[in-house]
Amino acid sequence: NNETAHENAENSPEPEDLDRLLAAREREDLEFKASLRWDFRENKVNRELERSAMKTTAAFLNSNGGRLVIGIDDAGSVQGLERDYATLHKPSADGFENHFTNVLKETIGPEFRRFLKLSFHRADDKEVCVVKIFPGTRPAYLRFGNDEIFCIRTGNSTTALPVSKAAAYIHSRWK
């Protein structure tokens, strides 16, 4: 029942839902990213991290949807968005959402923004972002420069499909 799922998902997660997400492990419909663009190891902005978040976003659009939680690392530790905020023209949740939307427009396309809902929550006294991604109504391709890739979720990871496999997947997913 897609319509009910979509209506229910429209409502922002309650704090206990966030606790439940944080207690969960990464799975087919849940992915954690320590940050959108701040590389904690290199101690600087790293555009590859944005690409990684968009790759996951496209995979959720092309699969059954899911949640991308930004500000939590793979181990489930709260990193928060403060470092990301500090790199933005407008260092706030609003600036973060604007930047996320701009990166999405550049890499996947503005027409897919309606399938995403960003909400901000506090965890361990730090702010995190939950991006709810609904299944897309058509294939979402990821563009980086002149390259285009097609990604899907396979278990708890994101997989880029070669063209030969993407065509068959697309045909079976969007009849």
Side-chain angles (χ1 to χ4, degrees):
N1 189 347
N2 259 357
E3 241 169 274
T4 309
H6 188 80
E7 285 169 25
N8 291 343
E10 279 301 313
N11 303 320
S12 194
E14 296 301 318
E16 60 270 15
D17 284 347
L18 182 65
D19 290 343
R20 204 183 36 164
L21 284 178
L22 299 183
R25 290 201 323 271
E26 289 186 328
R27 54 181 190 252
E28 195 168 340
D29 65 350
L30 179 64
E31 178 80 23
F32 297 122
K33 298 281 181 201
S35 76
L36 178 61
R37 59 198 317 246
W38 185 259
D39 190 323
F40 286 96
R41 268 178 284 217
E42 300 284 328
N43 221 25
K44 64 179 186 183
V45 170
N46 180 348
R47 297 295 304 253
E48 285 301 313
L49 298 176
E50 292 175 346
R51 287 181 174 202
S52 176
M54 291 303 126
K55 194 173 167 190
T56 299
T57 301
F60 282 143
L61 285 164
N62 290 330
S63 301
N64 299 316
R67 285 185 178 87
L68 169 61
V69 184
I70 305 172
I72 308 289
D73 65 21
D74 288 342
S77 300
V78 180
Q79 301 298 322
L81 299 174
E82 289 70 23
R83 294 292 182 97
D84 275 341
Y85 286 175
T87 69
L88 301 171
H89 178 65
K90 189 175 179 188
S92 63
D94 192 42
F96 182 92
E97 184 164 354
N98 289 343
H99 185 75
F100 186 97
T101 298
N102 287 334
V103 175
L104 178 87
K105 284 181 196 171
E106 287 169 23
T107 57
I108 299 174
E111 67 277 19
F112 288 97
R113 181 60 178 87
R114 67 191 181 99
F115 297 103
L116 278 62
K117 180 170 177 37
L118 279 71
S119 57
F120 296 84
H121 309 273
R122 295 211 65 82
D124 291 354
D125 214 30
K126 293 178 184 165
E127 203 158 34
V128 299
C129 178
V130 176
V131 184
K132 277 189 185 167
I133 302 155
F134 300 96
T137 53
R138 65 183 187 78
Y141 297 91
L142 199 54
R143 282 183 310 280
F144 299 130
N146 294 328
D147 296 330
E148 264 191 356
I149 60 173
F150 181 82
C151 300
I152 60 169
R153 286 298 280 184
T154 46
N156 67 349
S157 64
T158 296
T159 303
L161 292 183
V163 174
S164 59
K165 298 221 181 332
Y169 178 89
I170 291 166
H171 182 71
S172 69
R173 168 88 169 70
W174 291 281
K175 289 193 190 314

